[in-house]
Amino acid sequence: MTIHQIRPDLTTDEVADATAAALRSTEAVDALTRRERLEPRHAREIVELLGRKEELRGVYAMADFLDDAVRWSA
């Protein structure tokens, strides 16, 4: 919970604009943290898929790159 200082010099419209901006900022942070949480999961799933289906190697260069990067970092 965020506590905001009450400013009597702001109009209702200014308060509404500030609140909307804060919500957009929070949504952007939530989307970023969600993306950061999903990234390792997707990488793991790609590596597992390429391990099960050898015929997929060479189809998508980024997947091959990720698979090689994971193998070299292990």
Side-chain angles (χ1 to χ4, degrees), residues 4 13-29:
H4 299 281
D13 290 336
E14 290 173 329
V15 171
D17 291 343
T19 302
L23 286 174
R24 284 191 302 274
S25 174
T26 302
E27 290 169 355
V29 169

Side-chain angles (χ1 to χ4, degrees), residues 3 7 10 22 30-31 37:
I3 299 174
R7 294 186 49 197
L10 293 179
D30 289 345
R37 285 192 323 261

Side-chain angles (χ1 to χ4, degrees), residues 9-64:
D9 59 323
L10 293 179
T11 66
T12 304
D13 290 336
E14 290 173 329
V15 171
D17 291 343
T19 302
L23 286 174
R24 284 191 302 274
S25 174
T26 302
E27 290 169 355
V29 169
D30 289 345
L32 180 64
T33 56
R34 181 176 185 274
R35 189 178 328 134
E36 290 172 343
R37 285 192 323 261
L38 292 177
E39 188 175 328
R41 187 176 97 190
H42 291 307
R44 183 182 67 243
E45 290 171 354
I46 289 172
V47 170
E48 289 174 0
L49 176 65
L50 291 176
R52 288 191 317 262
K53 306 268 187 175
E54 290 291 327
E55 66 272 11
L56 291 177
R57 291 191 188 280
V59 173
Y60 186 58
M62 191 62 184
D64 291 340

